[in-house]
Structures are given as C-alpha cells and as structure tokens.
Amino acid sequence: SAVISQKPSRDICQRGTSLTIQCQVDSQVTMMFWYRQQPGQSLTLIATANQGSEATYESGFVIDKFPISRPNLTFSTLTVSNMSPEDSSIYLCSVSQTPGTGELFFGEGSRLTVL
Amino acid sequence: GNSVTQMEGPVTLSEEAFLTINCTYTATGYPSLFWYVQYPGEGLQLLLKATKADDKGSNKGFEATYRKETTSFHLEKGSVQVSDSAVYFCALSDWGSQGNLIFGKGTKLSVKP
C-alpha cells in the first residue's frame, strides 16, 4: 500500500487568488492522479501526472487553470488558479502502484472554500 | 460514455442490520468494478473489487457480485457495525484514461448502536 499526505487539508481562499496543493507519497510511483469532488457530486478526474512528462488533462480541465508539477516519483502539486466560488471542492491526490488494476490509493483530500 | 449510478444516501441503520447499497453501471466492453470506502477523516481506500462477470469481491464481511446481465454491483453486508459508518463509492475502470476510475456519487452510511 501507499501512504499519501496532502497539504493543506483545508483552506479558505479569496476570489481571484491561487492555491497550490501538495501531494507526498511514501514510495515511488509512476502514475499519480488528481481528482475533484464538488459538493454532492462524485469524484471527477482532473488530470493524470506522470513523472517526466506533461500532465494529461481530462475534458473540461485546462493547464492554465490547474497547472500540475511532477518533479519526481514521490511528489506532485496541483495549483488552482484565479479561484472563484465554483472551485470550492475537495481535491484528492491518488496513486496507482500497480497500473492496470484500478487499485488506487488516495490522500485525505484538500477541502477548499472560495469566498 | 461510461457511468456509475449508486443509491442516494444517507442510509441510517441499527447495529447488526442488513445492508444493501445499490450500484449499477453503463460501460462499453468489460470493465472492472470496485467499491471504495472513506472513513471519517481518512482517504478513500479500496474495499473490494471484481474483474469479470460473476466474480464476487469480498472483504471485512462486505460482498458484491459482478452481474453483467443486470449491469449491477450491489454492496451487501449481513450485520453492520458502528465502525462501518463511512461513505461508500462504487467505481468502474476506464482504461482509456490510463487507469482512471469513474465513481458514483457516494452513499453515506451511519450505523447507530
């Protein structure tokens, strides 16, 4: 299994500002995923971040709004840029230690509230 | 496209009651199916999975059977405990996105002593 730490666990942000969420894994993993969970909704994949390559974004998500870094095999960041109240969500980092199995490990999430 | 529909919550049960959380899916091909659980204050974790039709996944007293004919993967437990209080997510694999999972909305379960 993998242990994932996310920071911050929660934050209250002002409209128009940006916030960077950090994800630290206790082991080296190739594939990392960033999900968003809006209130009352299911988890939606934002992007897949593989070390050494550009992140792959899902439909409806763009790099300018959600830039991602993946500097090594144990760390990634997701920035939520120019925030609006619609960005209020829980953002989750997850990793796959065994690609192709669908078994993901998740961090506890970062709950963002945008005023 | 692929999708997962699970029963709306919250669900409140007394200890030792029988639990069913319904999950149905729409998918092309033959996805793998999963139940994830999120206990209060913790991250999501895999509860059980099934990779082909008629497979039964089981863990911690929970079971779910992959029913291709009804496109369902209902979660069941014969006798719930207070410690089972959590949010349960049904999910399927979408291998077109490098291992992305498609999740249902989650069902919150509260078990009262």
Side-chain angles (χ1 to χ4, degrees):
Chain A
S1 64
V3 177
I4 302 169
S5 301
Q6 276 187 243
K7 292 181 181 179
S9 58
R10 60 178 62 232
D11 208 339
I12 299 174
C13 308
Q14 296 299 318
R15 182 195 298 260
T17 63
S18 299
L19 182 77
T20 296
I21 302 167
Q22 299 179 2
C23 177
Q24 179 74 53
V25 189
D26 69 342
S27 59
Q28 294 185 338
V29 292
T30 302
M31 302 179 73
M32 295 181 77
F33 305 93
W34 285 98
Y35 282 85
R36 180 174 74 180
Q37 185 180 17
Q38 293 178 301
Q41 302 298 315
S42 63
L43 282 74
T44 302
L45 182 68
I46 297 171
T48 302
N50 294 334
Q51 195 269 339
S53 63
E54 293 277 336
T56 303
Y57 289 83
E58 297 299 304
S59 176
F61 298 96
V62 295
I63 187 170
D64 290 346
K65 176 67 175 177
F66 298 101
I68 288 171
S69 77
R70 184 78 202 274
N72 56 51
L73 290 173
T74 63
F75 188 77
S76 178
T77 66
L78 169 75
T79 299
V80 186
S81 303
N82 187 25
M83 286 185 284
S84 67
E86 292 70 35
D87 295 319
S88 297
S89 290
I90 299 173
Y91 293 86
L92 297 125
C93 170
S94 70
V95 305
S96 171
Q97 287 192 313
T98 314
T101 64
E103 296 184 33
L104 302 184
F105 298 92
F106 286 83
E108 293 178 20
S110 299
R111 182 183 293 271
L112 301 188
T113 301
V114 184
L115 303 178
Chain B
N2 297 345
S3 65
V4 174
T5 302
Q6 63 181 103
M7 65 186 288
E8 297 281 334
V11 174
T12 302
L13 297 173
S14 298
E15 209 165 22
E16 299 184 2
F18 184 86
L19 168 71
T20 300
I21 301 178
N22 290 338
C23 172
T24 58
Y25 67 91
T26 301
T28 55
Y30 304 96
S32 293
L33 301 174
F34 306 84
W35 278 99
Y36 278 78
V37 59
Q38 185 173 30
Y39 298 104
E42 299 183 16
L44 275 80
Q45 55 186 273
L46 179 64
L47 179 61
L48 54 84
K49 71 173 185 178
T51 59
K52 61 183 186 296
D54 300 325
D55 265 3
K56 177 185 285 188
S58 61
N59 186 23
K60 300 182 180 181
F62 291 88
E63 294 182 340
T65 301
Y66 189 143
R67 300 288 188 198
K68 189 171 185 297
E69 64 277 13
T70 55
T71 62
S72 65
F73 193 54
H74 304 322
L75 182 69
E76 297 182 336
K77 186 173 185 181
S79 176
V80 293
Q81 305 301 312
V82 172
S83 57
D84 294 326
S85 298
V87 181
Y88 294 82
F89 293 88
C90 186
L92 65 80
S93 60
D94 180 0
W95 304 122
S97 296
Q98 303 181 67
N100 175 29
L101 290 179
I102 295 173
F103 287 88
K105 291 186 177 183
T107 302
K108 183 176 182 179
L109 170 66
S110 296
V111 181
K112 307 298 184 184

